Amino acid sequence: MSSRGERIPEILAGFLTVLVLLVLYAPVLVSALFSVVTIQRGTILWETFSLSSYATLWSNSSVLQALANTAIVAIASAAAALLFGIALAFYTRSENAIGRRSIEVLIYLPFLLPPIVTGLSLLVTTSALGVGRGLFTVIIGHTIFVLAVAYRLVSTRLAALPPSLLEASADLGASRWQTLRYVLLPHLASSIVTGAILALTLSFDETLISTFVAGDQMTLPLRLWAMMRVGFTPEINALVTLVLITSIALALLAAWRLKPSWSEADSSD
Amino acid sequence: MALELVGIRKNYDRLEVLPPLDLSIVDGEFLTLLGPSGSGKTTVLRIIGGFARPSGGQLMFDETDITDLPANRRPFNTVFQDYALFPHMTVRDNVGYGPLVQRRDPARSARLVSETLAIVGLAAMEQRYPSQLSGGQRQRVALARAIVCEPKVILLDEPLAALDASLRRQMQLFLKDIQRQIKTTFVFVTHDQEEAITMSDRIAVMNGGRIEQLGSPRDLYFQPKTKFVATFFGDNNIVEGVLAPGAGEVDTPLGRLPIDRRGMPAIEGRCIVAVRPERMRIGGENGAAIAGQVAEVVFSGPMTRILVAPAAAPELRLDVRLSSDAGQPPPQVGERVTVVFDPSDAVVVPG
Amino acid sequence: MTGHAKRWLLFAVVAALPVLFILLPIASFLITSFFRVEGGVILADPNLSNYGAFFGNWTYLGTFLGTLWLCLQVVLLSIALGYPVAWFIWRRSGTVRYALLLLAVMPLFMSYIVKLYTLRAMLGLNGLLNQMLVGIGFLDGPSQFFLFNQRAVLITMTVIYLPFVILPIFLSLERIPRGLLSASADLGAGAFDTFRRIVLPLSLPGTIAGGLFAFVLALGDFVTPQMVGGTTGFTIGRVIWSQFGLAYNWPFGSAISAVLLAVALLIIGLGGYAASRRRV
Ligand SMILES: Nc1ncnc2c1ncn2[C@@H]1O[C@H](COP(=O)(O)OP(=O)(O)OP(=O)(O)O)[C@@H](O)[C@H]1O
Ligand SMILES: [Mg+2]
């Protein structure tokens, strides 16, 4: 029941939406194209189509090393962030926990502040403490960065749990441990899975904090950055495409998990 | 005739929600749409308000066709079920919104808004935000917002549903009072039959998208035309039977019951006999008599309810209401009694 | 042990992680900002010389103010583009709406460095943008207009941070009960009045939140200007980064970051205040 007054703005906004989406996706599409064909003076040379650049990637040991590092960092920091996120969410759940608000502010801080601040503050600290920089410090940096997301998801879910459920469980004779095992964890399961996917996605892509604390280790984004300073090669494009496919897959997974109810229930007349 | 629905239909895809429906709403009346959940009351109201487009038919107002007029150009205002107050505006701004967007004269509007706020008793709270009001107060803001533009028709969709029982009764009287003051047509939706009886000039009983019966509360109560109205509207003793053409008696599981055919439509074959509990007596002469045994006695303040299991069909229960201070003590459970009613109090509708 | 002591012990255990890994680092870089470097060694000799050097030298202060102005432009451009997009998506229904939202938000998760790389390729002399503009006859030949300058940083940051703006705007539009729009129309408001008086004010908190998010992210971004900014696209992020790299002056870099942090906190605080002023 859109009236006449809304038709024209709607058409204009529609145009803009298409345009914006094209601009947002052009980088993705273009790099995917560059990775398999050569483009000269604006014409695509289809006969140059080849997947060879993908093949050479597999023999590039520095890329493989960076990939392995990224996987280690992503998994370790997601696991750590979830573990701490759950513990912190349990703590801040109780209204009269000491320092509840301050702890929350601290948790959200690294997510809200420019990553450069988080990165350099970790750099300064590790150096002052004499801790060597490497994968371990990258894991710490990523953990505190994604902690906010993990904590947020778990604590929201926890808040949705009626306290009477826990009382009922205790009333039925469950020990605290059993309540945790049979009531709380199943209730939190979905938020934990979503949190893990989001944490992996964020860590996979994290660049700004990593540059400060990686030392001589390389994660995939850092490797890419280093390669790009050298120049454009089909090999980079191939790697870029692989990275994009991975992050799109992760993003789709996250979107599917977070899919809100309004997309199904929607009145239309 | 102020507002007229002519053959209005509504389909959602394949689903027919309203079969062609005709309804004439008289100027200045309080008309209630009453019906169970899903019977199409909101749909009718949304079509009148202009929020839903009918799939067919015409909507006439003062002899002009307004079917295609958008909601913002209809001289009707709505009190929404969830009030739909603008959360970012004060009470005063909420009420003043209509005159503002209709570009009415600001000075006159300001006066009008103040007057309306006074009518609904919210003058002292005009600077508050909706979140700072109680349910009943929000309800009044919604009403004030709807009446301030002096619409020709006010549409109310279960406006009292969210209120507790006592506040609800208070608001019923208040609404009725306002309507008397401003003399505007009210189209009111509810599924509470008691509320409908208390407030309405006329009631349209809806069922499955159809209007089963339209009439004054008295008509509907004492002269139901269909089985649905007889059962939906107030408590009733209902028994199925068969009526021979022209006969003065109905064959029922309780035996032959005499009825009074005067003023009744010509019915024959399967039918339903309905008698109001308060029109039944225990013992006494002249009238239809049914023998039975008292199954339960329930004291409920002014009335005492006696449930009688008829001897002919012990699985049924006759509901009899006696005044609690009738002088004699009520019968005891297990006592054998005769339930008597006047044939002219029995209503017969097609079954 | 008393219940009181127990609660404090629990607090100490739980707070250890955020204090150790979040608070302590911030504190230590703030402390470092008062130190100084001499002969490649950091001296713990508290003084205000770093701040004096920053505020007293127009090169730095000017770059900082320029960066703030750049971020503001990024925000305004993102909102100008993002609001209509979010509004359009909000007006759709069912699957189309969900698909469009997904499309608009997914770039959030796509590799930042990859986007930079391909945008640089597209904005360059032989890039897609130049080829298109030459192709449609808008330019006679490829132009250096779009790369290695402040403009390139603005375009690139806007593309990268736009989804951060679209999402909160959409979410705040989504939170407007549909009944309010019906009520507005019912009271006689046309499409424009309803938009101006109901939709816009109620979606303002989300718009502000999105804008501030983009602002803070752009403020600290040092990779984008480095990749596409060339010599003129200099931002404060790059200055800080160079202090931790080639220039090797951590205390000075920390001092500039401290100013950055203060601005970011101020902006986050303003955003929180704006969002909390919404009454529902
Ligand atoms: N948008 C829609 N799409 C499909 N079916 C609908 C839609 N809106 C209403 N209906 C159907 O139309 C019928 C009538 O709905 P309506 O809301 O008018 O009922 P109602 O009498 O107001 O009920 P209630 O007392 O529960 O408010 C219902 O069966 C409902 O399921
Ligand atoms: Mg309804």
Side-chain angles (χ1 to χ4, degrees), chain B residues 284-339:
Chain B
E285 305 296 306
N286 49 37
I290 304 162
Q293 196 172 10
V294 175
E296 218 172 307
V297 177
V298 184
F299 173 73
S300 63
M303 300 298 265
T304 301
R305 207 171 154 198
I306 294 147
L307 296 176
V308 178
E315 72 283 359
L316 298 181
R317 287 287 179 277
L318 292 175
D319 188 350
V320 184
R321 305 269 165 90
L322 300 178
S323 173
S324 292
D325 56 357
Q328 71 220 67
Q332 300 293 308
V333 173
E335 199 175 310
R336 296 195 173 281
V337 292
T338 310
V339 177

Short mmCIF file of all heavy atoms in Angstrom, two decimals, chain B residues 284-339:
data_model
loop_
_atom_site.label_atom_id
_atom_site.label_comp_id
_atom_site.label_asym_id
_atom_site.label_seq_id
_atom_site.Cartn_x
_atom_site.Cartn_y
_atom_site.Cartn_z
N GLY B 284 -43.54 -24.91 39.74
CA GLY B 284 -44.51 -23.93 39.29
C GLY B 284 -45.44 -24.52 38.23
O GLY B 284 -45.22 -25.63 37.74
N GLU B 285 -46.46 -23.73 37.92
CA GLU B 285 -47.48 -24.20 36.98
C GLU B 285 -47.17 -23.73 35.57
O GLU B 285 -46.10 -23.23 35.30
CB GLU B 285 -48.86 -23.66 37.43
CG GLU B 285 -49.21 -24.02 38.86
CD GLU B 285 -49.36 -25.51 39.07
OE1 GLU B 285 -50.14 -26.14 38.33
OE2 GLU B 285 -48.66 -26.07 39.95
N ASN B 286 -48.17 -23.78 34.73
CA ASN B 286 -48.22 -23.38 33.32
C ASN B 286 -46.88 -23.12 32.64
O ASN B 286 -46.07 -22.34 33.05
CB ASN B 286 -49.14 -22.16 33.09
CG ASN B 286 -48.83 -21.04 34.08
OD1 ASN B 286 -47.68 -20.83 34.42
ND2 ASN B 286 -49.86 -20.37 34.53
N GLY B 287 -46.70 -23.85 31.53
CA GLY B 287 -45.47 -23.74 30.75
C GLY B 287 -44.94 -25.12 30.48
O GLY B 287 -45.55 -26.13 30.85
N ALA B 288 -43.78 -25.12 29.80
CA ALA B 288 -43.15 -26.40 29.52
C ALA B 288 -42.48 -26.89 30.79
O ALA B 288 -41.87 -26.10 31.51
CB ALA B 288 -42.12 -26.22 28.42
N ALA B 289 -42.60 -28.16 31.08
CA ALA B 289 -42.02 -28.70 32.30
C ALA B 289 -41.08 -29.85 31.96
O ALA B 289 -41.40 -30.69 31.13
CB ALA B 289 -43.13 -29.18 33.24
N ILE B 290 -39.91 -29.83 32.60
CA ILE B 290 -38.93 -30.91 32.38
C ILE B 290 -38.54 -31.45 33.74
O ILE B 290 -38.07 -30.70 34.61
CB ILE B 290 -37.68 -30.37 31.66
CG1 ILE B 290 -38.06 -29.70 30.34
CG2 ILE B 290 -36.68 -31.49 31.42
CD1 ILE B 290 -37.00 -28.79 29.78
N ALA B 291 -38.71 -32.74 33.94
CA ALA B 291 -38.35 -33.34 35.21
C ALA B 291 -36.88 -33.65 35.24
O ALA B 291 -36.30 -34.00 34.21
CB ALA B 291 -39.16 -34.63 35.40
N GLY B 292 -36.26 -33.53 36.43
CA GLY B 292 -34.83 -33.83 36.52
C GLY B 292 -34.36 -33.83 37.95
O GLY B 292 -35.16 -33.74 38.88
N GLN B 293 -33.04 -33.94 38.11
CA GLN B 293 -32.46 -34.05 39.42
C GLN B 293 -31.37 -32.98 39.55
O GLN B 293 -30.59 -32.78 38.61
CB GLN B 293 -31.83 -35.43 39.56
CG GLN B 293 -31.52 -35.81 40.98
CD GLN B 293 -31.08 -37.28 41.07
OE1 GLN B 293 -30.84 -37.93 40.05
NE2 GLN B 293 -30.98 -37.77 42.28
N VAL B 294 -31.30 -32.30 40.67
CA VAL B 294 -30.31 -31.23 40.84
C VAL B 294 -28.91 -31.86 40.89
O VAL B 294 -28.65 -32.74 41.70
CB VAL B 294 -30.58 -30.42 42.12
CG1 VAL B 294 -29.46 -29.40 42.34
CG2 VAL B 294 -31.93 -29.75 42.03
N ALA B 295 -28.03 -31.41 40.00
CA ALA B 295 -26.68 -31.98 39.95
C ALA B 295 -25.68 -31.09 40.68
O ALA B 295 -24.68 -31.57 41.21
CB ALA B 295 -26.25 -32.15 38.50
N GLU B 296 -25.95 -29.79 40.69
CA GLU B 296 -24.98 -28.89 41.31
C GLU B 296 -25.66 -27.58 41.66
O GLU B 296 -26.57 -27.14 40.94
CB GLU B 296 -23.85 -28.62 40.32
CG GLU B 296 -22.49 -28.53 40.97
CD GLU B 296 -21.39 -28.43 39.93
OE1 GLU B 296 -21.34 -29.30 39.03
OE2 GLU B 296 -20.62 -27.47 40.03
N VAL B 297 -25.24 -26.97 42.76
CA VAL B 297 -25.77 -25.66 43.13
C VAL B 297 -24.57 -24.73 43.35
O VAL B 297 -23.69 -25.05 44.14
CB VAL B 297 -26.61 -25.75 44.41
CG1 VAL B 297 -27.09 -24.35 44.82
CG2 VAL B 297 -27.79 -26.69 44.22
N VAL B 298 -24.53 -23.63 42.60
CA VAL B 298 -23.38 -22.72 42.70
C VAL B 298 -23.88 -21.34 43.08
O VAL B 298 -24.68 -20.73 42.38
CB VAL B 298 -22.63 -22.64 41.35
CG1 VAL B 298 -21.39 -21.77 41.51
CG2 VAL B 298 -22.26 -24.02 40.87
N PHE B 299 -23.39 -20.85 44.22
CA PHE B 299 -23.77 -19.51 44.66
C PHE B 299 -22.81 -18.51 44.02
O PHE B 299 -21.60 -18.66 44.10
CB PHE B 299 -23.66 -19.45 46.19
CG PHE B 299 -23.87 -18.08 46.73
CD1 PHE B 299 -25.14 -17.50 46.77
CD2 PHE B 299 -22.78 -17.35 47.21
CE1 PHE B 299 -25.31 -16.23 47.28
CE2 PHE B 299 -22.96 -16.07 47.72
CZ PHE B 299 -24.23 -15.52 47.75
N SER B 300 -23.34 -17.51 43.32
CA SER B 300 -22.43 -16.53 42.71
C SER B 300 -22.96 -15.12 42.96
O SER B 300 -23.26 -14.38 42.05
CB SER B 300 -22.29 -16.80 41.21
OG SER B 300 -23.54 -16.64 40.58
N GLY B 301 -23.09 -14.76 44.23
CA GLY B 301 -23.54 -13.42 44.57
C GLY B 301 -25.04 -13.28 44.39
O GLY B 301 -25.81 -14.06 44.94
N PRO B 302 -25.44 -12.30 43.58
CA PRO B 302 -26.87 -12.01 43.47
C PRO B 302 -27.67 -13.20 42.92
O PRO B 302 -28.86 -13.34 43.21
CB PRO B 302 -26.94 -10.83 42.50
CG PRO B 302 -25.59 -10.79 41.84
CD PRO B 302 -24.63 -11.36 42.81
N MET B 303 -27.05 -14.02 42.11
CA MET B 303 -27.76 -15.14 41.52
C MET B 303 -27.20 -16.46 42.05
O MET B 303 -26.03 -16.56 42.40
CB MET B 303 -27.60 -15.14 39.99
CG MET B 303 -28.12 -13.90 39.29
SD MET B 303 -29.88 -13.68 39.52
CE MET B 303 -30.50 -14.46 38.04
N THR B 304 -28.08 -17.46 42.10
CA THR B 304 -27.62 -18.80 42.42
C THR B 304 -27.90 -19.67 41.20
O THR B 304 -28.97 -19.61 40.61
CB THR B 304 -28.36 -19.38 43.64
OG1 THR B 304 -28.12 -18.50 44.75
CG2 THR B 304 -27.88 -20.77 43.97
N ARG B 305 -26.88 -20.41 40.82
CA ARG B 305 -26.95 -21.19 39.59
C ARG B 305 -27.25 -22.62 39.96
O ARG B 305 -26.57 -23.22 40.81
CB ARG B 305 -25.58 -21.11 38.94
CG ARG B 305 -25.62 -21.26 37.48
CD ARG B 305 -24.24 -20.95 36.94
NE ARG B 305 -24.14 -21.67 35.69
CZ ARG B 305 -23.02 -21.95 35.08
NH1 ARG B 305 -21.89 -21.60 35.62
NH2 ARG B 305 -23.05 -22.59 33.94
N ILE B 306 -28.27 -23.18 39.33
CA ILE B 306 -28.64 -24.57 39.63
C ILE B 306 -28.55 -25.38 38.35
O ILE B 306 -29.17 -25.04 37.34
CB ILE B 306 -30.06 -24.63 40.21
CG1 ILE B 306 -30.05 -23.92 41.58
CG2 ILE B 306 -30.51 -26.08 40.40
CD1 ILE B 306 -31.33 -23.24 41.88
N LEU B 307 -27.73 -26.41 38.38
CA LEU B 307 -27.58 -27.26 37.21
C LEU B 307 -28.42 -28.51 37.43
O LEU B 307 -28.26 -29.21 38.43
CB LEU B 307 -26.12 -27.63 36.99
CG LEU B 307 -25.22 -26.42 36.67
CD1 LEU B 307 -23.78 -26.84 36.56
CD2 LEU B 307 -25.70 -25.73 35.40
N VAL B 308 -29.31 -28.76 36.47
CA VAL B 308 -30.25 -29.87 36.62
C VAL B 308 -30.00 -30.89 35.53
O VAL B 308 -29.88 -30.54 34.35
CB VAL B 308 -31.70 -29.37 36.52
CG1 VAL B 308 -32.69 -30.54 36.62
CG2 VAL B 308 -31.98 -28.34 37.62
N ALA B 309 -29.90 -32.17 35.92
CA ALA B 309 -29.78 -33.25 34.94
C ALA B 309 -31.19 -33.75 34.61
O ALA B 309 -31.86 -34.29 35.48
CB ALA B 309 -28.93 -34.38 35.51
N PRO B 310 -31.64 -33.55 33.37
CA PRO B 310 -33.01 -33.97 33.03
C PRO B 310 -33.13 -35.50 33.11
O PRO B 310 -32.19 -36.21 32.78
CB PRO B 310 -33.19 -33.50 31.59
CG PRO B 310 -32.05 -32.59 31.30
CD PRO B 310 -30.94 -32.95 32.23
N ALA B 311 -34.27 -35.97 33.56
CA ALA B 311 -34.48 -37.41 33.70
C ALA B 311 -34.41 -38.09 32.34
O ALA B 311 -33.85 -39.18 32.21
CB ALA B 311 -35.84 -37.68 34.35
N ALA B 312 -34.91 -37.40 31.28
CA ALA B 312 -34.96 -38.02 29.96
C ALA B 312 -33.58 -38.11 29.31
O ALA B 312 -33.34 -38.97 28.47
CB ALA B 312 -35.91 -37.24 29.04
N ALA B 313 -32.70 -37.22 29.68
CA ALA B 313 -31.36 -37.21 29.07
C ALA B 313 -30.36 -36.74 30.12
O ALA B 313 -29.94 -35.59 30.13
CB ALA B 313 -31.34 -36.28 27.85
N PRO B 314 -29.96 -37.68 31.03
CA PRO B 314 -29.18 -37.27 32.20
C PRO B 314 -27.81 -36.70 31.84
O PRO B 314 -27.16 -36.07 32.68
CB PRO B 314 -29.02 -38.57 32.99
CG PRO B 314 -29.90 -39.57 32.34
CD PRO B 314 -30.26 -39.10 30.99
N GLU B 315 -27.35 -36.93 30.61
CA GLU B 315 -26.02 -36.41 30.26
C GLU B 315 -26.06 -34.92 30.00
O GLU B 315 -25.03 -34.25 29.99
CB GLU B 315 -25.43 -37.18 29.06
CG GLU B 315 -26.07 -36.92 27.71
CD GLU B 315 -27.42 -37.62 27.53
OE1 GLU B 315 -27.85 -38.35 28.46
OE2 GLU B 315 -28.05 -37.42 26.48
N LEU B 316 -27.24 -34.34 29.76
CA LEU B 316 -27.36 -32.90 29.54
C LEU B 316 -27.43 -32.18 30.88
O LEU B 316 -27.64 -32.79 31.92
CB LEU B 316 -28.61 -32.59 28.72
CG LEU B 316 -28.67 -33.19 27.30
CD1 LEU B 316 -29.95 -32.78 26.61
CD2 LEU B 316 -27.46 -32.73 26.50
N ARG B 317 -27.24 -30.87 30.84
CA ARG B 317 -27.39 -30.06 32.05
C ARG B 317 -28.25 -28.86 31.70
O ARG B 317 -27.97 -28.16 30.72
CB ARG B 317 -26.02 -29.54 32.53
CG ARG B 317 -25.14 -30.59 33.17
CD ARG B 317 -25.65 -30.97 34.56
NE ARG B 317 -24.81 -32.00 35.16
CZ ARG B 317 -24.96 -33.30 34.90
NH1 ARG B 317 -25.89 -33.73 34.06
NH2 ARG B 317 -24.17 -34.19 35.49
N LEU B 318 -29.26 -28.63 32.49
CA LEU B 318 -30.05 -27.41 32.33
C LEU B 318 -29.50 -26.38 33.31
O LEU B 318 -29.24 -26.69 34.47
CB LEU B 318 -31.53 -27.67 32.61
CG LEU B 318 -32.23 -28.57 31.59
CD1 LEU B 318 -33.65 -28.86 32.03
CD2 LEU B 318 -32.23 -27.92 30.21
N ASP B 319 -29.31 -25.18 32.79
CA ASP B 319 -28.74 -24.11 33.60
C ASP B 319 -29.88 -23.19 34.04
O ASP B 319 -30.54 -22.59 33.21
CB ASP B 319 -27.71 -23.36 32.74
CG ASP B 319 -26.91 -22.36 33.55
OD1 ASP B 319 -27.27 -22.12 34.72
OD2 ASP B 319 -25.94 -21.82 33.00
N VAL B 320 -30.12 -23.13 35.33
CA VAL B 320 -31.21 -22.31 35.85
C VAL B 320 -30.62 -21.27 36.79
O VAL B 320 -29.77 -21.59 37.62
CB VAL B 320 -32.23 -23.18 36.62
CG1 VAL B 320 -33.42 -22.33 37.08
CG2 VAL B 320 -32.70 -24.34 35.77
N ARG B 321 -31.04 -20.00 36.64
CA ARG B 321 -30.53 -18.97 37.54
C ARG B 321 -31.67 -18.45 38.38
O ARG B 321 -32.69 -17.99 37.85
CB ARG B 321 -29.96 -17.79 36.74
CG ARG B 321 -28.92 -18.16 35.72
CD ARG B 321 -27.53 -18.09 36.32
NE ARG B 321 -26.60 -18.79 35.43
CZ ARG B 321 -25.93 -18.20 34.43
NH1 ARG B 321 -26.07 -16.93 34.21
NH2 ARG B 321 -25.12 -18.91 33.68
N LEU B 322 -31.49 -18.52 39.68
CA LEU B 322 -32.51 -18.00 40.59
C LEU B 322 -31.92 -16.84 41.36
O LEU B 322 -30.72 -16.83 41.66
CB LEU B 322 -32.93 -19.10 41.58
CG LEU B 322 -33.52 -20.36 40.98
CD1 LEU B 322 -33.83 -21.34 42.10
CD2 LEU B 322 -34.75 -20.07 40.16
N SER B 323 -32.76 -15.88 41.67
CA SER B 323 -32.30 -14.79 42.51
C SER B 323 -31.93 -15.36 43.88
O SER B 323 -32.64 -16.18 44.44
CB SER B 323 -33.42 -13.76 42.64
OG SER B 323 -33.03 -12.79 43.57
N SER B 324 -30.77 -14.95 44.40
CA SER B 324 -30.29 -15.55 45.65
C SER B 324 -31.18 -15.20 46.83
O SER B 324 -31.23 -15.93 47.81
CB SER B 324 -28.85 -15.08 45.93
OG SER B 324 -27.98 -15.63 44.97
N ASP B 325 -31.84 -14.03 46.81
CA ASP B 325 -32.70 -13.67 47.94
C ASP B 325 -34.17 -13.87 47.61
O ASP B 325 -35.02 -13.05 47.91
CB ASP B 325 -32.42 -12.23 48.38
CG ASP B 325 -32.61 -11.26 47.21
OD1 ASP B 325 -32.89 -11.75 46.09
OD2 ASP B 325 -32.49 -10.05 47.42
N ALA B 326 -34.48 -15.01 46.96
CA ALA B 326 -35.85 -15.29 46.53
C ALA B 326 -36.76 -15.62 47.71
O ALA B 326 -37.96 -15.84 47.54
CB ALA B 326 -35.87 -16.42 45.52
N GLY B 327 -36.23 -15.70 48.93
CA GLY B 327 -37.08 -15.99 50.08
C GLY B 327 -36.95 -17.43 50.50
O GLY B 327 -36.65 -17.73 51.65
N GLN B 328 -37.11 -18.35 49.55
CA GLN B 328 -37.00 -19.76 49.95
C GLN B 328 -35.57 -20.25 49.67
O GLN B 328 -34.90 -19.73 48.79
CB GLN B 328 -38.01 -20.61 49.18
CG GLN B 328 -37.68 -20.77 47.73
CD GLN B 328 -38.92 -20.70 46.86
OE1 GLN B 328 -39.58 -19.68 46.72
NE2 GLN B 328 -39.27 -21.83 46.27
N PRO B 329 -35.08 -21.23 50.44
CA PRO B 329 -33.73 -21.75 50.22
C PRO B 329 -33.67 -22.49 48.89
O PRO B 329 -34.69 -23.03 48.43
CB PRO B 329 -33.52 -22.69 51.39
CG PRO B 329 -34.88 -23.07 51.84
CD PRO B 329 -35.77 -21.92 51.53
N PRO B 330 -32.51 -22.48 48.23
CA PRO B 330 -32.40 -23.19 46.95
C PRO B 330 -32.50 -24.69 47.16
O PRO B 330 -32.28 -25.18 48.27
CB PRO B 330 -30.99 -22.80 46.49
CG PRO B 330 -30.25 -22.45 47.73
CD PRO B 330 -31.24 -21.91 48.69
N PRO B 331 -32.84 -25.42 46.10
CA PRO B 331 -32.94 -26.87 46.23
C PRO B 331 -31.59 -27.49 46.54
O PRO B 331 -30.54 -26.87 46.30
CB PRO B 331 -33.45 -27.32 44.86
CG PRO B 331 -33.17 -26.19 43.93
CD PRO B 331 -33.16 -24.95 44.74
N GLN B 332 -31.63 -28.68 47.12
CA GLN B 332 -30.40 -29.39 47.48
C GLN B 332 -29.94 -30.26 46.31
O GLN B 332 -30.74 -30.67 45.47
CB GLN B 332 -30.66 -30.31 48.68
CG GLN B 332 -31.12 -29.56 49.91
CD GLN B 332 -30.02 -28.67 50.46
OE1 GLN B 332 -28.91 -29.11 50.69
NE2 GLN B 332 -30.35 -27.38 50.65
N VAL B 333 -28.62 -30.55 46.27
CA VAL B 333 -28.10 -31.48 45.26
C VAL B 333 -28.76 -32.84 45.45
O VAL B 333 -28.91 -33.32 46.57
CB VAL B 333 -26.57 -31.61 45.38
CG1 VAL B 333 -26.03 -32.68 44.44
CG2 VAL B 333 -25.90 -30.28 45.09
N GLY B 334 -29.21 -33.44 44.36
CA GLY B 334 -29.85 -34.75 44.43
C GLY B 334 -31.36 -34.66 44.50
O GLY B 334 -32.07 -35.64 44.23
N GLU B 335 -31.86 -33.50 44.83
CA GLU B 335 -33.31 -33.31 44.95
C GLU B 335 -33.97 -33.44 43.58
O GLU B 335 -33.42 -33.00 42.58
CB GLU B 335 -33.57 -31.91 45.51
CG GLU B 335 -34.94 -31.71 46.10
CD GLU B 335 -35.03 -30.32 46.75
OE1 GLU B 335 -34.11 -29.98 47.55
OE2 GLU B 335 -35.99 -29.61 46.45
N ARG B 336 -35.17 -34.07 43.53
CA ARG B 336 -35.89 -34.17 42.26
C ARG B 336 -36.73 -32.92 42.08
O ARG B 336 -37.45 -32.52 42.98
CB ARG B 336 -36.80 -35.40 42.26
CG ARG B 336 -36.00 -36.68 42.36
CD ARG B 336 -36.81 -37.92 42.01
NE ARG B 336 -35.90 -39.06 41.97
CZ ARG B 336 -35.11 -39.33 40.91
NH1 ARG B 336 -35.19 -38.58 39.82
NH2 ARG B 336 -34.29 -40.35 40.95
N VAL B 337 -36.57 -32.31 40.91
CA VAL B 337 -37.27 -31.04 40.68
C VAL B 337 -37.88 -31.04 39.29
O VAL B 337 -37.59 -31.89 38.46
CB VAL B 337 -36.30 -29.83 40.78
CG1 VAL B 337 -35.81 -29.64 42.19
CG2 VAL B 337 -35.15 -30.00 39.80
N THR B 338 -38.74 -30.03 39.05
CA THR B 338 -39.27 -29.82 37.71
C THR B 338 -38.83 -28.43 37.25
O THR B 338 -39.03 -27.45 37.96
CB THR B 338 -40.81 -29.89 37.72
OG1 THR B 338 -41.19 -31.08 38.40
CG2 THR B 338 -41.35 -29.89 36.30
N VAL B 339 -38.18 -28.39 36.07
CA VAL B 339 -37.77 -27.11 35.52
C VAL B 339 -38.86 -26.64 34.57
O VAL B 339 -39.32 -27.39 33.72
CB VAL B 339 -36.42 -27.24 34.77
CG1 VAL B 339 -36.04 -25.92 34.13
CG2 VAL B 339 -35.35 -27.73 35.72
#
